[in-house]
Amino acid sequence: MLNLISFDASPLGALGQLSLLAALAFTLGGTWLAVVGGVKADARATEAARRAVWAVFALVSLSILTLMAALLGDDFSVRYVAEHSMRASPTWIKVTSLWGALEGSILLWAWMLAGYAFILSLTLRRDALRPWALAAMYASLLFFVGICATVASPFTPLAQIPADGRGPNPALQNHWMMAVHPVLLYLGFVGLAVPFAYAVAALVTGRLSDHWVVVTRRWTLTAWAFLTAAIVAGGWWSYETLGWGGYWAWDPVENASFIPWLLATAFLHSIQIQERRGLMRSWNVWLIVLAYASTVLGTFLNRSGIVQSVHAFAGGPVGPVFLGFLAFLLVAGIGLAAWRAPHLRDEGEPPAALSREGAFLAGNWLFLVFAVMVLVGTLFPTIVEAVQGRRDTSVGPAFYNAFAIPLGLGLLLMMGVGPLLPWRRAEGQGLWRALWPLLLAGAGAAVIAYALGIRGVGVLATVGLSAYNLVGLGLLTGRALRQRGGGMVGLLREQPRRHGAYLAHVGLVVMALGIAFSSAYRQDAQVTLNVGAAPVRLLNETLALEGTREERKPYGTSAIARVRIDGRAYETRMNTYIQGGDTPFPAPAVRYGLWGDTYLVVTAFGEEGRWASVRLIESPLVSWIWWGTLIVVLGAGLTLVPPRRAPARVSALQAAPATD
Amino acid sequence: MKRPASSRQRPAGARLLPLAFSLLLSSSLALTTDQTLRAEAIGDNLRCPICTGEPITQSTNDISREMLRDVREQVAAGRSDAEIYSYFAARYGNFVLLDPPKDGVGMLLWGAPLAALGAGGLVLWRFLRRRPTAAAAATPGPEGDTFDPYLAEVQRRARRGKEA
């Protein structure tokens, strides 16, 4: 029997554990009330279920605040604090320790889920989907609050209270991004629970028309924007801490966050077909079930330790529980969808190939193949190990890039043509007239890039497709401006959704250019420098080691090399943390530039700091990835702004071939 | 397959000297620029046997240094990529091949995305080419969202109006 509470040993731990158990009780009650409200169409039960969400949110908030107070107050009678924090850490590390290990991160997840459920309970419309959407949210809550309160409780009593904690994971003390990336990622993952809950409600009630899609659009977009920002923030984090000058290594856990993004992006586009044309109903249900299940799969991979990854937490009892929940989600989702399959038929004629729908579907096809590719690559070594009994395969970037580059280029191609095409059906001639400036611009840009000395096929194609996309979006915006008259601001306020999407596409183009150039033209060289010796020529820079020094902090040591590169000083560190033994954690010095970054990392120090080995990495356009993401998120944010009513102008409506 | 992991891991304190040594060695090994690039490309596809998923070109431990030096020597000796990969696979196991070979079990891996592409393409093509009559014949669900057939018709028209 699990020993959950001890009042004597830890008052704070008991408070946290009690509030979690109370939250679990309210979750159970709420689930029951929501189901009763759904089955008996009892508005009072539904209302009670809705209010029970508030109690759940309040209680989970109380427990997470308790844990935060324990962390900040160094209360080592609380298990999680004893195991993952210590007195000497700076305050921001203590704060981030909340999600720096398994139990805390699941508690954060549960809290965010409760928060989303709380917001949903305030905005929920009074419709037939209401009780079942609540019930589905409760099902997710039941799982997360349930494991927080039991197998993964951060508050279970300790046999002995230590004088100081074991301290946080050394790899997670290195950079402030630790405060940003996991929070964003969970906001993205958890946000997909809401459209999932609505899809389940639509399936249960059989009200499968397009209502649920319209209701959840904002939720999906918000989750998607968080997910996008989180994935790139994770890339930035690895760029700033892992010391190899890269931002994406196709690591299993990176992949696990990327698969939901691919599926959510496909979903964002295909729900527009349902919204506009009432088509793809069953497809959308499948997509959101898969997208939500893939977030749980990602967590399972991350937490169970079945895949080898730099990010994985140590295994524990939580792995099988997550696998069970994943199986439950898939079985329940697929079962419901199969049961309702006869009702999921589309009304109206199927989409034509040459139409906005056709382009969206072709994009969906590529997104799904992409997701399948990443999933297969991630799980393949584990599957082979399960079958053969030994770990005998690795899947590295060579495999992923072989598919990701053509698929990414294909997506860029569809991204340009989609907004040009009208809904329903495009005339071949009209399409050609709309398309040729784009193709011309793309070919022209590729030729210019070739003339400037770029030879990589992938980079040339990216440059061409970027120009093609930008010209397409520019022409569409220019036409909208001419038809409407007035300025850009007015246009944005009238059609935030369309132009937000355009802006997000522009951001993706900027990102694509950054990814293509930084991976194709990255230069990397190593050298050993002596203090005070003559400057050394490396890549396009001159390097001189000005000095080395050591900084001792209570929680670790930093060895610092001060290197002058072309007249500018760089201080690159090698940190060791007291929990990490001798394992060095590099902290590179990066000079960000619009056209390229100079990245210096120290790999070894000589005796008494007389020499240091450094690695110099120069990669062009890396910062375009970060700026591009900012543009994407701004664009996604713009699509959420409610449009201002336009003065009635019938002619403009008819003249515009491309609609939202 | 025994991984050479634990047996070859040396305490981290001993990392500095071999590093300097290997740097010395690698610089003494004269490779042309093309050969250096080739050795790096091969190194990118070889996994450091004792790390989590890092190629030997990124990892800084001794075994990776040794392997990288081995790669450079073999490139200098004029061996082909395939020969070098099979040399390392024989020594450390297929585990170190980050670019999984396209044979045996690897066919499943490399074939899966292609199969998904093909199957998905076929489904999409058939869906987009479906004749309108087939869909029109499909009966709408008995309990649609709207109980009122007039309301349903209005919604359908409104949707059509939006598309125009």
Side-chain angles (χ1 to χ4, degrees), chain A residues 205-207 209-211 244 251 274-278 280-281 308-310 340 343 345-353 358 361-362 365-366 369 372-373 376-377 380 384 388 390-399 402-403 407 423-424 524 526 528 582 584 603-605 611 613 615 653 659, chain B residues 1 3 12-13 15-17 19-20 23 40 44-45 47 51-54 57-58 60 65 93-100 105-106 108-110 112-114 116-122 124 127-132 135-136 138-145 147 152 156 159-160 162-164:
Chain A
T205 56
R207 287 162 189 266
S209 71
D210 316 324
H211 177 61
W244 58 284
D251 178 273
Q274 183 168 352
E275 204 179 330
R276 304 294 303 210
R277 302 264 341 256
M280 314 310 297
R281 290 178 171 168
Q308 276 207 343
S309 159
V310 280
R340 288 297 187 185
H343 297 186
R345 288 225 193 90
D346 297 335
E347 51 186 62
E349 57 186 279
L361 288 180
W365 168 47
L366 296 181
V369 173
V372 167
M373 183 273 286
V376 169
F380 189 71
V384 169
Q388 295 190 345
R390 60 193 160 88
R391 188 156 281 239
D392 195 34
T393 31
S394 294
V395 179
F399 168 79
F403 292 103
L407 284 170
W423 292 99
R424 298 185 82 82
D524 183 341
Q526 305 199 19
T528 301
D582 282 339
T603 53
F605 282 96
W611 55 265
S613 290
R615 183 172 184 186
L653 261 178
T659 48
Chain B
M1 159 82 24
R3 262 191 275 149
R15 84 177 59 235
L16 300 182
L17 204 62
L19 168 65
L23 281 176
E40 238 167 70
D44 279 337
N45 284 330
R47 179 183 196 144
C51 327
T52 43
E54 260 186 318
T57 42
Q58 279 161 32
T60 48
R65 299 273 164 188
N94 291 331
F95 178 73
V96 293
L97 301 180
L98 278 177
D99 185 0
V105 190
L108 285 178
L109 173 70
W110 287 90
L114 294 176
L117 191 73
L122 194 69
L124 180 65
F127 179 70
L128 290 178
R129 288 197 45 121
R130 211 169 54 173
R131 290 274 62 94
T139 47
E143 25 176 348
D145 203 21
F147 306 102
R156 216 166 286 141
R159 193 180 287 134
R160 231 165 256 159
K162 251 200 291 186
E163 288 153 18

Side-chain angles (χ1 to χ4, degrees), chain A residues 33 40 74 83-84 88 98 102 154 158 186 216 220 328-329 342 365 448 482 488 502-503 532 632 647 651:
Chain A
L33 283 167
K40 298 198 172 162
D74 296 321
E83 285 174 355
H84 303 289
L98 184 70
L102 180 74
L158 287 159
Y186 289 173
T216 56
T220 315
F328 167 75
L329 281 182
W365 168 47
I448 293 172
R482 272 200 310 281
M488 191 72 205
Y502 289 179
L503 192 61
V632 170
S651 61

Side-chain angles (χ1 to χ4, degrees), chain B residues 62-78:
Chain B
D62 304 343
I63 187 166
S64 300
R65 299 273 164 188
E66 259 171 55
M67 284 170 74
L68 198 56
R69 201 186 58 223
D70 226 352
V71 171
R72 293 170 64 93
E73 276 169 9
Q74 297 195 26
V75 166

Side-chain angles (χ1 to χ4, degrees), chain A residues 75-312:
Chain A
D75 184 341
F76 299 112
S77 67
V78 174
R79 173 183 293 276
Y80 186 81
V81 183
E83 285 174 355
H84 303 289
S85 188
M86 61 179 179
R87 282 182 208 283
S89 292
T91 307
W92 76 270
I93 295 278
K94 288 181 186 167
V95 173
T96 62
S97 291
L98 184 70
W99 50 85
L102 180 74
E103 296 87 353
S105 73
I106 294 177
L107 180 60
L108 180 71
W109 186 310
W111 179 64
M112 283 178 176
L113 187 61
Y116 273 109
F118 175 65
I119 299 171
L120 182 69
S121 78
L122 296 181
T123 58
L124 207 60
R125 298 191 195 177
R126 288 180 183 278
D127 55 24
L129 299 182
R130 183 160 128 132
W132 292 108
L134 278 172
M137 282 306 275
Y138 270 120
S140 293
L141 272 172
L142 200 55
F143 173 73
F144 281 102
V145 176
I147 54 174
C148 270
T150 57
V151 287
S153 169
F155 299 112
T156 46
L158 287 159
Q160 212 164 20
I161 295 167
D164 196 359
R166 270 183 245 160
N169 182 341
L172 304 180
Q173 300 180 41
N174 222 3
H175 198 263
W176 58 269
M177 260 295 168
M178 180 57 204
V180 179
H181 160 70
V183 177
L184 288 176
L185 190 66
Y186 289 173
L187 281 171
F189 275 6
V190 176
L192 289 179
V194 179
F196 170 78
Y198 262 94
V200 168
L203 282 171
V204 171
T205 56
R207 287 162 189 266
L208 287 158
S209 71
D210 316 324
H211 177 61
W212 74 271
V213 166
V214 180
V215 173
T216 56
R217 189 183 76 91
R218 276 159 202 279
W219 290 97
T220 315
L221 263 165
T222 309
W224 181 87
F226 278 128
L227 202 50
T228 310
I231 292 170
V232 179
W236 194 1
W237 182 13
S238 73
Y239 185 68
E240 282 255 330
T241 61
L242 295 184
W244 58 284
Y247 40 82
W248 191 262
W250 296 108
D251 178 273
V253 172
E254 292 169 1
N255 295 348
S257 68
F258 190 42
I259 295 170
W261 186 86
L262 290 167
L263 296 174
T265 315
F267 179 72
L268 266 187
H269 289 90
S270 80
I271 51 172
Q272 294 179 43
I273 306 178
Q274 183 168 352
E275 204 179 330
R276 304 294 303 210
R277 302 264 341 256
L279 301 173
M280 314 310 297
R281 290 178 171 168
S282 62
W283 178 244
N284 288 330
V285 170
W286 286 100
L287 262 184
I288 193 62
V289 169
L290 288 179
Y292 187 57
S294 70
T295 66
V296 178
L297 172 75
T299 318
F300 166 66
L301 291 180
N302 201 343
R303 304 293 178 254
S304 66
I306 66 156
V307 291
Q308 276 207 343
S309 159
V310 280
H311 305 274

Side-chain angles (χ1 to χ4, degrees), chain A residues 539-618:
Chain A
L539 300 181
N540 304 312
E541 320 279 351
T542 38
L543 276 67
L545 182 62
E546 291 193 327
T548 58
R549 68 172 193 278
E550 208 172 64
E551 273 178 15
R552 286 187 183 280
K553 302 257 169 62
Y555 50 88
T557 311
S558 294
I560 302 167
R562 192 179 159 83
V563 179
R564 193 162 279 278
I565 302 178
D566 282 344
R568 299 169 92 176
Y570 286 66
E571 286 202 342
T572 165
R573 290 159 183 263
M574 180 121 85
N575 300 330
T576 48
Y577 296 97
I578 52 175
Q579 310 84 13
D582 282 339
T583 315
F585 292 88
V590 189
R591 194 79 78 184
Y592 290 97
L594 185 59
W595 300 108
D597 290 2
T598 305
Y599 185 105
L600 186 81
V601 57
V602 61
T603 53
F605 282 96
E607 313 85 63
E608 291 164 27
R610 279 194 300 256
W611 55 265
S613 290
V614 294
R615 183 172 184 186
L616 179 69
I617 298 165
E618 304 211 300

Side-chain angles (χ1 to χ4, degrees), chain A residues 501-526:
Chain A
Y502 289 179
L503 192 61
H505 282 189
V506 170
L508 285 165
V509 166
V510 173
M511 282 174 82
L513 285 170
I515 293 168
F517 276 88
S518 61
S519 42
Y521 295 104
R522 172 175 177 274
Q523 284 184 301
D524 183 341
Q526 305 199 19

